[in-house]
Each structure stands twice: as structure tokens, then as C-alpha cells.
Amino acid sequence: MRSGLAETIQRSMANITVPNTRLNTNSKAIPLLGFGTAEYPFGSSDNVRECLLDAIRLGYRHFDSAALYQSEQPLGEAVAEALELGLVNSREELFITTKLWCSDAHGDRVVPALQTSLKNLGLEYVDLYLVHWPVCVKAGEYELPVKKEDLLPFDYEGVWKAMEECQQLGLAKSIGVSNFSCKKLEKLLSISEIPPAVNQVEVNPLWQQQKLRQFCNEKGIHITAYSPLGAKGTLWGSDRVMESEVLQEIAKAIGKTLAQVCLRWAYEQGVSVLAKSFNTERMKENRDIFDWSLSRDELNKISQIPQKKGFPGVEFVSPDGPYKSTEELWDGEI
């Protein structure tokens, strides 16, 4: 991006503040709008660093990464450049999340996996470290789909004890999970000394997760929503959200984009939401959701949209594996 344009964008976004909320285990607040870094196929773009730097210029401060995504290194480079350029005053202004992949979901591999991620990011700590799935595969590859013959039982106690060690060592300010059902969270809570601060899951108007959101609210677990727009074009997404007639009609009626309607809806549910676009104009649009609201009638229409999970996770299901059906993977929450 040309320096003059970058300065103009930086000035235009300077007065916009993203609301935040405090996590249960940490005094640092999580911004309620985050920037996703997962592209598919993973590692397929060569301009990720510049796109992430543009996002920082536009005021994004919460970034979601994972060992699987191959985005840790470009995110770290963008953070370092942002600090050098003075786009942020200190590392503490940013909220950085990364995740433990299934091939490292072994008690003795968790801390080394985070240390590798920190090296990739060029950081001393992450603000949030998540168990990516309640799934374990043989150590080795970072890939999705996983090899079904490599699926192993998930060691709740061994993995979570090591996650707690990550926080105790100061490598992660908070720890949490992703793609955990109510039942799996109950099991984790029963064995944890440090409860999970966050459960990052699929949430959008076509998969609203009311039961899980209520459970997490009661337990003090913050929900972060991934695929708020349906993740069209990815292995885990579809075009169903963006093609919803109800959402299209609402967006047209109020003069907003369909993406803005989805992101605003998620924000109004009290969750943090991850928007992902490497297009500068859409980055701006996705950012512009805090100075307006959805009406009671619009919220009612969205509440009546038929529900269907976008990513059932069949990749983790096998007749010979720990989960023999998607019903078992999600404990019926599907």
C-alpha cells in the first residue's frame, strides 16, 4: 500500500474504537471484533503480511492465527513492522491468538508446540492459546483433512494440564478451546485447575448455537465466533449464509452489506467475532458495525432462520476412530 494512502486510512480510522470484554482468567480485555488469518488452501497467498499490516492500519487489534493456518510468521512480521512504523505504540495494544493443532495434542508436545508458534510469531507470549479441536492424531503433519488412520483418543487431562503450564509459564496470558460441545466443556471443567477462558466455535445466523452460548455464559466462558459469514470457498464453509434471502432482504432494507448484518448480529449476541477478508474495502466495511443496530423485527426474522451446521467435522469421524459419527463428535449438538 502506498504510504500516502496508508496515512489517509490511518487518520480516517483513528477515532474508531472496537468494544471489548474481559476474560475470566485475565485482566486484559479481548476486542469483540477480530481479524481471521485462515485462508484456504493454507499458505496459498504471498501477500498475507501486507494484508495484515493493512488490517492494523484500519484499526484491527485482535488477530486469530493457528499452527495449521501457516499464518503465524506473516502475522509476526506484520506486528513487528506495525511497531516499527508506529501504527501501534506497543505489543500490549494487540490481542494475538493461536491454536494447538491435533498432531500436537499430546501432553508432552503442547508446551514445545506453543514455543514453536511463538518463534514463528516473533513474540514472547500470546494473549490466548486454544486447543483447536477435541481431537488427537499421531504426531507429525499439520494438515486438514487429517489421515483417519492416525486418529487417536483425546487425552483431556494430559493436554489440559500442559495448556495450564503454558499459562503458568507466561507463554500464554489465557488458555481456551475451540469446537468443544457443552458435554466436552463439562468434562474439561471437572478436571481443570484453570478453566478455559474461551470456546471458539462456528456461530452465524444459520448456526446460532443458542444452547452452547447459554451454557458458556453460565460457566463464565467467552464465545468467539468463527465463520460468521459462512466461510465460503473453504473446506469448512459454504455459501449458505451469503445466499440467505432473509439476510439479503435485511441488508438491502437498511443499506448495509450482508456481511455487516451478520457481524452486527453476532456482536449483539455478546460474542467476539472474527471477520476475514484480505480486500481493503471489505476490511473497512466489516469494521463499520458499531454505530448502528438491528431492530427487534430484524432480530426476530434472523431468529427464525432454519438452523444447519456449516462444518460438521466429518474429517474427524471414522469407524475405527474415537468418534464414529458426527453425533459423537458434537455430542448431539448438530
Side-chain angles (χ1 to χ4, degrees):
M1 180 178 287
R2 299 186 302 276
S3 60
L5 178 58
E7 291 169 4
T8 300
I9 290 174
Q10 191 178 352
R11 285 196 301 272
S12 68
M13 302 302 289
N15 296 323
I16 295 178
T17 301
V18 175
N20 57 47
T21 191
R22 296 202 177 276
L23 299 178
N24 67 353
T25 59
N26 184 26
S27 59
K28 186 169 182 179
I30 182 171
L32 293 175
L33 177 66
F35 194 89
T37 66
E39 52 174 351
Y40 193 79
F42 302 118
S44 57
S45 295
D46 57 8
N47 65 336
V48 176
R49 179 194 61 80
E50 185 60 33
C51 290
L52 295 173
L53 195 60
D54 286 348
I56 294 173
R57 288 189 178 104
L58 287 167
Y60 289 90
R61 295 294 181 265
H62 171 188
F63 291 88
D64 181 78
S65 185
L68 176 69
Y69 302 162
Q70 300 179 34
S71 61
E72 291 173 332
Q73 184 172 338
L75 175 56
E77 291 170 354
V79 168
E81 189 166 349
L83 286 165
E84 185 178 340
L85 293 172
L87 300 178
V88 291
N89 295 318
S90 70
R91 156 71 180 92
E92 285 67 37
E93 292 183 21
L94 300 171
F95 191 100
I96 306 296
T97 299
T98 196
K99 307 183 195 76
L100 176 84
W101 186 238
C102 306
S103 56
D104 286 324
H106 305 261
D108 62 343
R109 296 184 65 87
V110 175
V111 173
L114 178 51
Q115 290 170 330
T116 297
S117 288
L118 290 171
K119 182 178 180 181
N120 292 336
L121 288 160
L123 300 176
E124 294 181 357
Y125 68 90
V126 291
D127 297 285
L128 180 63
Y129 194 42
L130 303 178
V131 178
H132 208 149
W133 284 86
V135 173
C136 178
V137 299
K138 291 179 182 177
E141 300 298 322
Y142 292 82
E143 60 185 3
L144 183 67
V146 300
K147 295 181 178 69
K148 295 201 175 189
E149 62 270 23
D150 289 349
L151 288 165
L152 298 168
F154 184 78
D155 177 9
Y156 284 81
E157 292 194 27
V159 170
W160 194 250
K161 182 177 180 181
M163 291 290 290
E164 292 175 333
E165 185 179 356
C166 289
Q167 182 167 328
Q168 290 160 351
L169 290 171
L171 303 178
K173 297 297 185 182
S174 292
I175 52 176
V177 295
S178 182
N179 300 299
F180 272 54
S181 66
C182 296
K183 184 176 179 180
K184 289 179 173 58
L185 286 170
E186 284 275 24
K187 183 171 183 177
L188 192 61
L189 288 168
S190 73
I191 61 169
S192 63
E193 292 184 19
I194 302 174
V198 169
N199 186 20
Q200 185 183 122
V201 293
E202 178 186 354
V203 177
N204 58 57
L206 274 68
W207 189 242
Q208 297 179 17
Q209 297 266 44
Q210 291 181 4
K211 176 186 175 183
L212 181 65
R213 287 194 284 118
Q214 181 178 347
F215 176 88
C216 287
N217 185 54
E218 292 170 355
K219 300 297 183 181
I221 300 171
H222 177 74
I223 289 275
T224 295
Y226 74 73
S227 298
L229 312 181
K232 180 180 178 180
T234 68
L235 174 70
W236 56 91
S238 74
D239 57 5
R240 291 175 54 252
V241 173
M242 300 303 288
E243 293 188 355
S244 165
E245 290 185 5
V246 173
L247 296 174
Q248 289 173 353
E249 289 171 3
I250 291 173
K252 183 177 180 181
I254 64 177
K256 301 295 182 182
T257 68
L258 189 148
Q260 287 174 324
V261 170
C262 291
L263 296 171
R264 177 70 198 190
W265 173 84
Y267 167 68
E268 291 188 17
Q269 308 313 300
V271 306
S272 56
V273 58
L274 301 172
K276 185 265 169 183
S277 176
F278 288 171
N279 176 285
T280 303
E281 288 305 313
R282 286 197 289 270
M283 287 184 201
K284 293 180 191 176
E285 291 171 352
N286 293 345
R287 186 69 174 68
D288 185 20
I289 63 169
F290 298 112
D291 59 354
W292 56 279
S293 60
L294 293 164
S295 70
R296 183 175 299 181
D297 181 59
E298 289 153 359
L299 290 169
N300 184 53
K301 288 178 180 177
I302 292 174
S303 73
Q304 296 179 45
I305 294 175
Q307 297 294 289
K308 184 179 180 181
K309 189 170 185 60
F311 186 46
V314 294
E315 292 77 7
F316 304 115
V317 171
S318 169
D320 302 316
Y323 303 120
K324 294 176 173 51
S325 68
T326 53
E327 287 283 330
E328 289 186 7
L329 176 62
W330 299 106
D331 300 303
E333 295 172 24
I334 190 168

